Amino acid sequence: VHAVALFFLDLDDFKTVNDEHGHDAGDMVLREVAQRLSQAVRATDLICRLGGDEFVVVVPDMDGEIEALAYAERLTKTLELEVVLPGGHPILVSASCGIAFTSGSELQQLLTDADIAMLHAKATGRHQVFDQALDSARRRQAEETARLRTAIESGEIVPWFQPVVRLADGAVVGAEALARWPEAHSQGRDISQVIALAERTGLIASLDRLIYTQAAAALVSGALGTGIRISVNASPRQITTGLVVKEIAEVLAESGASPSMLAVEVTESAMLTDPVAAAVHLAELAEMGVQVALDDFGTGFSSLSHLLALPLHIIKVDRSFVAGIVDDVRPREVVRAIISMSENLGVLVVAEGVETEAQADLLRSLGCPLAQGYLFGRPMPLEDWPS
């Protein structure tokens, strides 16, 4: 049965183009996208730009879902392109597509349905046909997002602190600030799910700022003890856009905390998106006096070039290596190599996930200076930190 189908196209991560390259670059990309779409649709199809980076294609005689998905595949393939900006900088473009069919619906409802399908497509694939299950999922996420926003604004999310110890004598020399939301914990939701929701919905900047602010306050008050460096985590997007530099600078200025007593941890995945931008912004943090730590080192994206290109002060060896060092020579030799290399580069090593005395003893014998894990203490609220 032939029906009218509406295809809602949205460029992926287009905001980054405007933020990092300027609106002239964004306009250039949009012109290229419009030209490509015009060449891809049929003479009987209607194409229009809704605004920003959103485009709509209306097909008056689509023969069912299978044909619609094939048509969406053609549109998204057309928009997989590289646009070279003046100066020779290439930008990779892609798009997600949501599809909705008429069933007596008004145009506005059709647009809404296709928009919902497009948002789902961004999370799961390049194209998605609307159904009521998607609408229910969207409503649930909207409710969860509103609750998370309220929790951030009201300060319900707080940092818990996990000690970092010096292996030579067991002295606590640092702490990692980890976000905790008591309400989510009581409902059986892991904090990683909360952080993932914050990243999907754009609330990660507010969440990170909240933790930065509370960590800086703990530094100023000396609540964790004298000479305890606190490390905070930064999302990959915060690193590559440079927002982390602005946020950290403002928090330090407002709190009066010493930059040298704060460390920013970045995972290696942040290097994959835009390694050049990440290196520039991490260097800015280092110039401020803030320590830079590379977290989860060795988990599949490791590159020795990172150790040369980044202004690193700390490398955190991933817990997956520490878990096997007692019984398996291979992770043991990897950890030994990381420690030796780091010593030569003047970079501190922290072994993560230390849970047994045997692991701690072996790390000491390998010359590892610092460690973190349940053996020395679980993450705890500030009021439970030993005085």
Side-chain angles (χ1 to χ4, degrees):
V1 178
H2 290 266
V4 175
L6 188 145
F7 297 79
F8 196 115
L9 293 144
D10 184 270
L11 301 186
D12 298 324
D13 206 24
F14 183 71
K15 185 177 183 296
T16 302
V17 176
N18 282 328
D19 289 347
E20 296 185 4
H21 304 286
H23 289 280
D24 288 344
D27 289 344
M28 182 177 176
V29 171
L30 290 173
R31 285 194 296 271
E32 181 66 25
V33 167
Q35 182 178 354
R36 290 289 191 104
L37 277 179
S38 299
Q39 295 170 349
V41 301
R42 302 172 301 188
T44 55
D45 301 339
L46 173 66
I47 177 174
C48 64
R49 178 183 168 210
L50 290 184
D53 60 339
E54 298 174 338
F55 293 83
V56 165
V57 177
V58 179
V59 179
D61 56 347
M62 187 60 65
D63 187 17
E65 185 173 315
I66 293 177
E67 184 183 354
L69 288 170
Y71 189 84
E73 174 73 14
R74 191 172 85 196
L75 293 178
T76 52
K77 282 287 187 184
T78 298
L79 297 186
E80 288 182 355
L81 65 140
E82 181 180 271
V83 178
V84 180
L85 301 178
H89 190 92
I91 294 177
L92 298 178
V93 179
S94 63
S96 300
C97 181
I99 310 161
F101 292 94
T102 53
S103 56
S105 302
E106 295 183 355
L107 176 60
Q108 186 56 53
Q109 185 60 50
L110 196 63
L111 280 168
T112 299
D113 293 348
D115 188 16
I116 292 170
M118 181 275 297
L119 292 173
H120 187 75
K122 278 192 179 292
T124 60
R126 287 183 306 184
H127 15 77
Q128 176 71 48
V129 177
F130 172 81
D131 59 32
Q132 290 301 321
L134 291 183
D135 193 27
S136 298
R138 180 193 63 83
R139 292 179 187 275
R140 284 196 304 273
Q141 177 163 302
E143 292 170 359
E144 292 174 356
T145 302
R147 182 68 195 97
L148 176 57
R149 179 178 287 106
T150 299
I152 294 172
E153 292 174 351
S154 61
E156 295 175 47
I157 298 177
V158 296
W160 283 20
F161 299 92
Q162 185 173 31
V164 176
V165 304
R166 189 167 54 218
L167 281 170
D169 57 9
V172 177
V173 296
E176 181 178 357
L178 299 160
R180 289 294 183 270
W181 186 10
E183 177 183 302
H185 180 73
S186 68
Q187 295 172 352
R189 285 188 291 163
D190 189 84
I191 191 63
S192 62
Q193 296 173 303
V194 175
I195 292 173
L197 176 63
E199 289 176 337
R200 289 198 308 271
T201 57
L203 291 174
I204 191 65
S206 299
L207 176 57
D208 281 355
R209 176 63 178 258
L210 178 65
I211 299 302
Y212 299 161
T213 300
Q214 295 177 341
L219 279 176
V220 173
S221 69
L224 299 180
T226 304
I228 302 296
R229 178 182 291 116
I230 297 178
S231 63
V232 295
N233 294 280
S235 70
R237 184 174 181 82
Q238 297 282 85
I239 294 292
T240 55
T241 61
L243 186 57
V244 66
V245 179
K246 174 179 177 293
E247 297 283 359
I248 292 292
E250 290 178 355
V251 166
L252 290 174
E254 292 167 2
S255 66
S258 170
S260 64
M261 298 308 294
L262 185 69
V264 172
E265 296 191 11
V266 54
T267 60
E268 290 185 295
S269 60
M271 302 300 104
L272 297 180
T273 306
D274 193 335
V276 174
V280 168
H281 299 313
L282 291 175
E284 291 173 338
L285 286 174
E287 288 170 6
M288 290 163 47
V290 175
Q291 301 281 289
V292 176
L294 188 59
D295 198 11
D296 300 336
F297 187 77
T299 53
F301 303 118
S302 301
S303 170
L304 295 182
S305 65
H306 293 165
L307 304 184
L308 300 176
L310 301 179
L312 295 177
H313 305 91
I314 302 166
I315 288 176
K316 304 190 77 173
V317 180
D318 188 71
R319 64 184 64 246
S320 61
F321 289 97
V322 174
I325 59 172
V326 174
D327 300 319
D328 192 337
V329 67
R330 290 172 297 181
R332 190 184 315 151
E333 290 306 314
V334 170
V335 172
R336 187 196 307 274
I338 293 173
I339 293 169
S340 175
M341 177 178 58
S342 299
E343 285 180 348
N344 292 331
L345 294 174
V347 178
L348 274 175
V349 174
V350 180
E352 293 186 289
V354 180
E355 298 185 357
T356 68
E357 288 288 357
Q359 290 170 346
D361 289 342
L362 187 50
L363 287 166
R364 286 189 194 95
S365 71
L366 294 175
C368 183
L370 305 175
Q372 178 180 346
Y374 288 174
L375 178 63
F376 312 109
R378 293 173 177 265
M380 65 192 80
L382 190 59
E383 56 268 24
D384 292 345
W385 187 267
S387 55

